[in-house]
Coordinates of all heavy atoms in Angstrom, one line a residue:
E206 N -17.8 -82.9 -13.3 CA -17.5 -81.4 -13.2 C -17.4 -81.0 -11.7 O -18.1 -81.4 -10.8 CB -18.7 -80.7 -13.8 CG -18.5 -79.2 -13.8 CD -19.6 -78.4 -14.5 OE1 -20.5 -79.1 -15.1 OE2 -19.6 -77.2 -14.5
L207 N -16.4 -80.2 -11.5 CA -16.1 -79.6 -10.1 C -15.6 -78.2 -10.3 O -14.7 -78.0 -11.2 CB -15.1 -80.4 -9.4 CG -14.8 -80.0 -7.9 CD1 -16.0 -80.2 -7.0 CD2 -13.6 -80.7 -7.4
D208 N -16.2 -77.3 -9.6 CA -15.7 -75.9 -9.7 C -16.0 -75.2 -8.3 O -17.1 -75.0 -7.9 CB -16.5 -75.1 -10.7 CG -16.0 -73.7 -11.0 OD1 -15.2 -73.2 -10.2 OD2 -16.4 -73.1 -12.0
R209 N -14.9 -75.0 -7.6 CA -15.0 -74.4 -6.2 C -13.8 -73.6 -6.0 O -12.7 -73.7 -6.6 CB -15.2 -75.5 -5.1 CG -14.0 -76.4 -4.9 CD -14.2 -77.3 -3.7 NE -15.3 -78.2 -4.0 CZ -15.4 -79.4 -3.3 NH1 -14.5 -79.8 -2.4 NH2 -16.5 -80.2 -3.5
K210 N -13.9 -72.7 -5.0 CA -12.8 -71.9 -4.6 C -12.2 -72.3 -3.2 O -13.0 -72.5 -2.3 CB -13.2 -70.4 -4.5 CG -13.0 -69.7 -5.9 CD -12.9 -68.2 -5.7 CE -12.4 -67.6 -7.0 NZ -12.2 -66.1 -6.9
V211 N -10.9 -72.4 -3.1 CA -10.2 -72.9 -1.9 C -9.1 -71.8 -1.6 O -8.2 -71.7 -2.4 CB -9.6 -74.3 -2.0 CG1 -9.0 -74.7 -0.7 CG2 -10.7 -75.3 -2.5
N212 N -9.3 -71.1 -0.6 CA -8.3 -70.1 -0.2 C -8.0 -69.1 -1.4 O -6.9 -68.7 -1.6 CB -7.0 -70.7 0.2 CG -7.1 -71.6 1.5 OD1 -8.0 -71.4 2.3 ND2 -6.2 -72.6 1.6
G213 N -9.1 -68.8 -2.1 CA -9.0 -67.9 -3.2 C -8.5 -68.4 -4.5 O -8.4 -67.7 -5.5
V214 N -8.3 -69.7 -4.5 CA -7.8 -70.4 -5.7 C -8.9 -71.3 -6.3 O -9.5 -72.0 -5.5 CB -6.5 -71.3 -5.4 CG1 -6.1 -72.0 -6.6 CG2 -5.4 -70.5 -4.8
R215 N -9.1 -71.2 -7.5 CA -10.2 -71.9 -8.2 C -9.7 -73.4 -8.5 O -8.7 -73.6 -9.1 CB -10.6 -71.2 -9.5 CG -12.0 -71.6 -10.0 CD -12.5 -70.6 -11.0 NE -13.8 -71.0 -11.5 CZ -14.4 -70.3 -12.5 NH1 -13.7 -69.3 -13.1 NH2 -15.5 -70.7 -12.9
L216 N -10.5 -74.3 -8.0 CA -10.2 -75.7 -8.2 C -11.3 -76.3 -9.2 O -12.5 -76.2 -8.9 CB -10.3 -76.5 -6.9 CG -10.2 -78.0 -6.9 CD1 -8.9 -78.5 -7.5 CD2 -10.4 -78.6 -5.5
L217 N -10.7 -76.9 -10.3 CA -11.6 -77.3 -11.4 C -11.3 -78.7 -11.8 O -10.2 -79.1 -12.0 CB -11.4 -76.4 -12.6 CG -11.8 -74.9 -12.4 CD1 -10.9 -74.0 -13.2 CD2 -13.3 -74.7 -12.7
A218 N -12.4 -79.5 -12.0 CA -12.3 -80.9 -12.5 C -13.3 -81.0 -13.7 O -14.2 -80.2 -13.7 CB -12.5 -81.9 -11.5
T219 N -13.1 -81.9 -14.6 CA -13.7 -81.9 -15.8 C -14.3 -83.3 -16.2 O -13.6 -84.3 -15.8 CB -12.8 -81.5 -16.9 OG1 -12.4 -80.1 -16.6 CG2 -13.3 -81.6 -18.3
P220 N -15.4 -83.4 -16.8 CA -15.9 -84.7 -17.2 C -15.0 -85.5 -18.1 O -14.2 -84.9 -18.8 CB -17.2 -84.4 -18.0 CG -17.6 -83.0 -17.5 CD -16.3 -82.3 -17.2
S221 N -15.1 -86.8 -18.0 CA -14.3 -87.7 -18.9 C -14.8 -87.6 -20.3 O -16.0 -87.3 -20.5 CB -14.3 -89.1 -18.3 OG -13.9 -90.0 -19.3
T222 N -14.0 -88.0 -21.3 CA -14.5 -88.2 -22.6 C -15.2 -89.5 -22.8 O -15.7 -89.9 -23.9 CB -13.3 -88.1 -23.7 OG1 -12.4 -89.2 -23.4 CG2 -12.6 -86.8 -23.6
C223 N -15.3 -90.3 -21.7 CA -16.0 -91.6 -21.8 C -17.0 -91.7 -20.7 O -18.1 -91.2 -20.7 CB -15.1 -92.8 -21.9 SG -13.9 -93.0 -20.5
V224 N -16.7 -92.5 -19.6 CA -17.6 -92.8 -18.5 C -17.7 -91.6 -17.5 O -16.7 -91.0 -17.2 CB -17.2 -94.1 -17.8 CG1 -18.0 -94.3 -16.6 CG2 -17.2 -95.3 -18.8
Q225 N -18.9 -91.4 -17.0 CA -19.1 -90.3 -16.0 C -19.5 -90.9 -14.7 O -20.3 -91.8 -14.6 CB -20.2 -89.4 -16.5 CG -20.1 -88.9 -17.9 CD -18.8 -88.2 -18.2 OE1 -18.4 -87.3 -17.5 NE2 -18.1 -88.7 -19.2
F226 N -18.8 -90.4 -13.6 CA -19.2 -90.9 -12.2 C -20.2 -89.9 -11.6 O -20.2 -88.7 -11.8 CB -17.9 -90.9 -11.4 CG -16.8 -91.9 -11.8 CD1 -15.5 -91.6 -11.6 CD2 -17.2 -93.0 -12.5 CE1 -14.5 -92.5 -12.0 CE2 -16.2 -93.9 -12.9 CZ -14.9 -93.6 -12.6
L227 N -21.1 -90.5 -10.9 CA -22.2 -89.8 -10.2 C -21.6 -88.9 -9.1 O -21.0 -89.4 -8.2 CB -23.3 -90.7 -9.7 CG -24.5 -90.0 -9.1 CD1 -25.3 -89.3 -10.2 CD2 -25.4 -91.1 -8.4
P228 N -21.8 -87.6 -9.1 CA -21.4 -86.7 -8.0 C -22.1 -87.1 -6.7 O -23.2 -87.5 -6.7 CB -21.7 -85.3 -8.5 CG -21.9 -85.4 -10.0 CD -22.4 -86.8 -10.2
D229 N -21.3 -86.8 -5.6 CA -21.9 -86.9 -4.3 C -22.4 -88.3 -3.9 O -23.4 -88.4 -3.2 CB -22.9 -85.8 -4.0 CG -22.4 -84.4 -4.3 OD1 -21.3 -84.1 -3.8 OD2 -23.1 -83.6 -4.9
S230 N -21.8 -89.3 -4.5 CA -22.3 -90.7 -4.2 C -21.2 -91.4 -3.4 O -20.0 -91.5 -3.9 CB -22.5 -91.4 -5.5 OG -22.8 -92.8 -5.2
D231 N -21.5 -91.8 -2.2 CA -20.5 -92.5 -1.3 C -20.0 -93.8 -1.9 O -18.9 -94.3 -1.7 CB -21.0 -92.6 0.1 CG -21.0 -91.3 0.9 OD1 -20.3 -90.4 0.4 OD2 -21.7 -91.3 1.9
D232 N -20.9 -94.5 -2.6 CA -20.6 -95.8 -3.2 C -20.4 -95.6 -4.7 O -20.9 -94.6 -5.3 CB -21.7 -96.8 -3.0 CG -21.9 -97.1 -1.5 OD1 -20.9 -97.3 -0.8 OD2 -23.1 -97.2 -1.1
F233 N -19.7 -96.5 -5.3 CA -19.5 -96.4 -6.8 C -20.8 -96.3 -7.5 O -21.7 -97.1 -7.3 CB -18.7 -97.7 -7.3 CG -18.5 -97.7 -8.8 CD1 -17.4 -97.1 -9.3 CD2 -19.5 -98.3 -9.6 CE1 -17.2 -97.1 -10.7 CE2 -19.3 -98.3 -11.0 CZ -18.2 -97.7 -11.5
A234 N -21.0 -95.3 -8.4 CA -22.2 -95.1 -9.1 C -21.8 -94.3 -10.4 O -21.0 -93.4 -10.4 CB -23.2 -94.4 -8.3
L235 N -22.5 -94.6 -11.5 CA -22.3 -94.0 -12.7 C -23.4 -92.9 -13.0 O -24.5 -93.1 -12.6 CB -22.3 -95.0 -13.9 CG -21.2 -96.1 -13.8 CD1 -21.4 -97.1 -14.9 CD2 -19.8 -95.4 -13.9

Side-chain angles (χ1 to χ4, degrees):
E206 181 178 356
L207 181 70
D208 187 347
R209 65 175 63 159
K210 273 203 169 182
V211 184
N212 298 333
V214 178
R215 201 163 178 187
L216 173 61
L217 297 150
T219 297
S221 165
T222 63
C223 57
V224 173
Q225 311 304 306
F226 296 150
L227 185 67
D229 302 317
S230 176
D231 284 343
D232 298 318
F233 177 87
L235 298 175

